Amino acid sequence: MNMSPELLKLVEPTDTRSTPSTVRVAFFSDAFPERNGTGAYYHDLLFQLRGRIDRVAVFQPQSGGKQPLLSIRMPGDPGQRLVAPSLREIRSACDELNPTVIVVVTPGLHGLLGVWEARRRGVVLISAFHTDFEQLARMYWNPISRFFINLVLRGANRTICKASRSVLINNAGLRADVLRLGAKDVEVIGTPLAQDFICRPLVAIPSTLQRVCFAGRLAPEKNVEQVIAAARSLPGIEFLIAGEGPLSEQLEEQASGCANVRFLGWLTREQLTELLDSCSLLLLPSSFETFGSVALESMARGRPALVSTRTGIHTWPGLRDGLFTLDSPDHLPETLKQLTELPESEWKRRSKAARILAENLNRRTLDHWLSMLERHQAAHLEGPR
């Protein structure tokens, strides 16, 4: 079965509200749970929605189990595949849930099924635009394949945006893109955090910059080669690189003979928490990043992040005190050298600010989701816009 274990499990109210909201939500996603930023986003969100809304389920691919009828490799991440949804099982589970709101979060087959289910049931449809797949396709596909892939993706995104009461983005820079795709209304919404990052006791940040880390896909847009170049320039700092991807072998070969670089492979969320706790700083030198959730996770552990100006998180002014700015990926060595000169008091101040800002964004994000779901459900019940 290619579905999340949460598919048939309708979440029971806990104790976060004396009277949970009457909203019943079905999320449709083509991302595997916790496999990438989108998958992690809704895994973390659903956990925190428990007890605050009536019922919730997510319809998405699941690794293992029965082989799907269709499975196509996605650009930039060999571990992610576009798979065909199980129509009969999803319809049965959706009937049991009887959603009042459907949220579509990807432009794949599961996402398009969510549009169909919202239309069939006559319930409000909301969508989210998390990843610029067209930009990824430009990096990973040849011109002919790219033309057809982008044509399909653009059509799917246009269908979803036009059908949605509101389109959610976590980077204000995407507003013009979704409006061009036909969105009637656009809302900027924050990013939630996994409970591991919030609830586990904090570890004090080191007094000096001695160890840094990168965590994410080992892919061209992440500029991990600049991390290795920085390691060669700064032998006194240890560089830990976590993740998998199409450049894994190439990057390990590039780092050959570099004693202060260590590759850790793919990590669970618990292992990622331990990695962040062992470092002073997270590096995110990406060429583009819709948001960059790992930087927020680092902040939640009291570790500031050094992020490229091309990352979506950099566009959130309220998070700036938990971030350092990297003007260009090739400036990484000199920027890190400057950070080694910061006094202990500044690291402690940044650590405290990062934690507070991440917790505040998580809380505001959850409140925003709840109010937004209730608002759109109420407006839909009142009649067409």
Side-chain angles (χ1 to χ4, degrees):
M1 184 184 300
N2 64 327
M3 292 178 288
S4 163
E6 292 163 297
L7 180 62
L8 300 176
K9 179 183 176 183
L10 306 182
V11 179
E12 296 298 330
T14 54
D15 58 356
T16 49
R17 276 189 178 190
S18 56
T19 306
S21 165
T22 60
V23 177
R24 297 186 300 276
V25 188
F27 289 89
F28 283 77
S29 171
D30 292 274
F32 287 78
E34 297 190 276
R35 184 61 179 82
N36 62 9
T38 302
Y41 185 108
Y42 291 94
H43 178 275
D44 300 341
L45 176 64
L46 264 66
F47 183 87
Q48 294 194 71
L49 285 176
R50 295 178 65 176
R52 302 188 67 171
I53 64 175
D54 187 359
R55 291 184 291 178
V56 61
V58 57
F59 300 84
Q60 65 187 158
Q62 184 73 17
S63 57
K66 187 171 64 177
Q67 186 68 20
L69 295 176
L70 175 68
S71 178
I72 303 172
R73 182 176 61 86
M74 295 295 288
D77 188 354
Q80 275 283 26
R81 304 189 72 87
L82 178 67
V83 304
S86 176
L87 301 180
R88 182 182 300 175
E89 293 177 4
I90 288 179
R91 174 163 291 187
S92 173
C94 208
D95 286 342
E96 184 181 356
L97 174 65
N98 190 23
T100 57
V101 179
I102 286 178
V103 182
V104 166
V105 304
T106 52
L109 298 175
H110 283 77
L112 291 172
L113 178 60
V115 175
W116 171 254
E117 282 293 327
R119 184 175 300 161
R120 184 175 78 89
R121 297 170 183 278
V123 300
V124 63
L125 175 69
I126 297 168
S127 61
F129 193 92
H130 283 282
T131 304
D132 189 345
F133 288 108
E134 292 189 41
Q135 190 164 356
L136 282 177
R138 284 194 289 273
M139 299 185 71
Y140 292 99
W141 297 83
N142 63 52
I144 296 176
S145 298
R146 185 169 64 237
F147 173 80
F148 288 105
I149 291 293
N150 282 345
L151 192 66
V152 172
L153 286 171
R154 201 172 299 118
N157 275 320
R158 187 172 288 114
T159 296
I160 293 168
C161 286
K162 286 184 174 181
S164 300
R165 176 174 287 272
S166 185
V167 179
L168 311 177
I169 55 175
N170 57 4
N171 176 348
L174 297 172
R175 185 184 299 274
D177 292 336
V178 297
L179 287 173
R180 279 194 295 268
L181 289 166
K184 303 183 223 25
D185 178 69
V186 183
E187 293 187 53
V188 180
I189 199 159
T191 297
L193 286 161
Q195 293 303 290
D196 252 12
F197 298 110
I198 300 173
C199 297
R200 182 180 290 207
L202 289 179
V203 176
I205 194 168
S207 58
T208 57
L209 184 63
Q210 297 177 342
R211 178 186 289 172
V212 299
C213 65
F214 166 88
R217 223 167 44 247
L218 304 186
E221 73 275 10
K222 302 293 186 176
N223 289 322
V224 187
E225 70 279 1
Q226 297 293 343
V227 175
I228 296 172
R232 290 193 180 279
S233 299
L234 300 164
I237 299 177
E238 185 179 6
F239 290 74
L240 304 180
I241 299 175
E244 297 174 342
L247 297 185
S248 295
E249 291 184 8
Q250 180 180 325
L251 291 167
E252 290 191 33
E253 184 177 341
Q254 181 185 341
S256 177
C258 200
N260 60 329
V261 176
R262 188 150 49 100
F263 288 85
L264 306 177
W266 185 84
L267 302 182
T268 64
R269 306 295 280 285
E270 181 179 0
Q271 290 170 328
L272 176 58
T273 304
E274 293 170 354
L275 170 65
L276 294 169
D277 287 352
S278 73
C279 297
S280 299
L281 184 71
L282 174 90
L283 309 179
L284 196 61
S286 306
S287 299
F288 75 92
E289 195 86 48
T290 308
F291 182 75
S293 300
V294 69
L296 185 67
E297 292 165 348
S298 180
M299 288 172 58
R301 298 308 302 160
R303 302 302 187 262
L306 175 59
V307 302
S308 157
T309 56
R310 302 295 300 276
T311 60
I313 193 171
H314 190 267
T315 68
W316 286 74
L319 299 179
R320 291 286 175 84
D321 211 26
L323 303 170
F324 293 107
T325 298
L326 180 64
D327 294 320
S328 174
D330 56 7
H331 293 169
L332 186 57
E334 60 193 73
T335 304
L336 284 173
K337 189 173 186 308
Q338 292 170 5
L339 293 180
T340 62
E341 299 169 1
L342 289 181
E344 179 181 1
S345 59
E346 179 63 8
W347 283 112
K348 287 184 175 180
R349 188 191 73 79
R350 289 277 190 164
S351 173
K352 182 177 180 181
R355 170 68 174 196
I356 292 171
L357 293 173
E359 285 184 315
N360 287 345
L361 180 62
N362 179 72
R363 185 169 54 253
R364 291 197 306 270
T365 297
L366 185 59
D367 290 343
H368 189 172
W369 267 102
L370 289 163
S371 64
M372 181 265 300
L373 291 170
E374 291 175 337
R375 171 166 41 87
H376 286 303
Q377 175 182 268
H380 183 74
L381 293 175
E382 290 171 4
R385 295 181 63 162

